[in-house]
Amino acid sequence: MSATVLLVHGAFADGSSWNKVIAHLREAGITARAIPNQLRGLTADGEYVAGVVAQTEGDVVLVGHSYGGPVITYAGSTADNVKGLVFVAAFGLDKGQSAQEATSGYPEPELVSALQPWSYPGSDVPELTIQVDKYRSVFAADVTDEEAAAGAANQRPASAVALGEPLSVEPAWKRVPSWWVVAGADHAINPAYQRATAEAIGATVTELEGGSHSIAVSRPREVADVIIEAVRSVS
């Protein structure tokens, strides 16, 4: 029996961003499920995914896109059935790091100037989305016009807490093997950061040249192939 794949989306996306990847995994006979990331804060989000992991029978490979990378890093930290991690155009954090802090030594990506804050009653913390007219350039330069429009309209906002909260546990990548899919033309998370971090954590790296931040949508077969490699490696 192969490991179950649990896929975690990041900020400004939802579970549908994994649809094409899930289709390829199913063709390979792999059970996969997209987990709704709450986008409220790293500890809260990590605990939510950890709860799903605890209720999943058998071995698990966790896959995280973007901010989903820190979430799977948290969720897999003490889960014995998590056997591998796959980072897809993601942040890779060590204990004490936040997503905002991790990339501070790299040129600022286009994403930063494209964020739109929103305020809601009962909260002093803004929620963030990407300005609709900048979404395609920042997040989805290599998908179809229809997919970019749908992605911009379906964004799940992220609490500013989520991107600024440090990882409070020992990262899962210190105890299980990891893989990393680098988006070579990413305007949301600097590709140079992705390469350096993947090397630092000892991940097996696949770079998709010209790939935008939405590589799970634009290059689903290649992303799925890396996940299949991870599943077969740990099974």
Side-chain angles (χ1 to χ4, degrees):
M1 177 176 167
S2 67
T4 296
V5 173
L6 300 180
L7 304 119
V8 181
H9 66 81
F12 325 125
D14 63 18
S16 67
S17 60
W18 294 114
N19 284 353
K20 294 181 184 178
V21 171
I22 290 171
H24 289 304
L25 295 176
R26 287 179 174 164
E27 287 176 0
I30 294 171
T31 300
R33 177 183 172 193
I35 305 303
N37 189 350
Q38 305 302 295
L39 305 176
R40 301 298 86 196
L42 181 51
T43 299
D45 300 337
E47 288 289 344
Y48 181 91
V49 174
V52 177
V53 170
Q55 298 173 79
T56 301
E57 184 178 354
D59 293 341
V60 168
V61 169
L62 287 173
V63 183
H65 173 244
S66 194
Y67 165 73
V71 174
I72 67 170
T73 299
Y74 183 106
S77 60
T78 58
D80 290 339
N81 60 331
V82 171
K83 302 302 182 182
L85 307 175
V86 182
F87 296 87
V88 179
F91 297 101
L93 304 186
D94 204 345
K95 186 175 182 180
Q97 277 189 321
S98 69
Q100 288 177 341
E101 175 192 9
T103 57
S104 61
Y106 295 86
E108 187 174 279
E110 186 180 343
L111 170 68
V112 175
S113 63
L115 292 175
Q116 172 70 52
W118 302 86
S119 60
Y120 294 93
S123 175
D124 296 328
V125 179
E127 296 194 349
L128 305 172
T129 60
I130 298 172
Q131 297 170 35
V132 170
D133 62 338
K134 297 181 179 179
Y135 181 90
R136 183 168 181 75
S137 176
V138 169
F139 209 79
D142 59 350
V143 306
T144 68
D145 289 342
E146 292 78 10
E147 288 167 336
N154 291 330
Q155 293 181 66
R156 291 194 63 174
S159 169
V161 170
L163 301 176
E165 182 181 348
L167 183 68
S168 61
V169 297
E170 288 296 326
W173 50 260
K174 289 188 176 180
R175 68 172 194 85
V176 298
S178 58
W179 288 257
W180 196 300
V181 185
V182 174
D186 198 330
H187 293 170
I189 302 178
N190 190 294
Y193 160 80
Q194 295 184 47
R195 296 182 196 106
T197 305
E199 181 179 1
I201 71 175
T204 300
V205 178
T206 298
E207 178 158 350
L208 301 186
E209 185 176 350
S212 77
H213 196 59
S214 294
I215 50 176
V217 178
S218 63
R219 312 276 286 273
R221 182 173 293 280
E222 290 158 286
V223 172
D225 284 345
V226 175
I227 298 170
I228 293 166
E229 176 188 345
V231 169
R232 289 176 176 168
S233 178
V234 304
S235 295

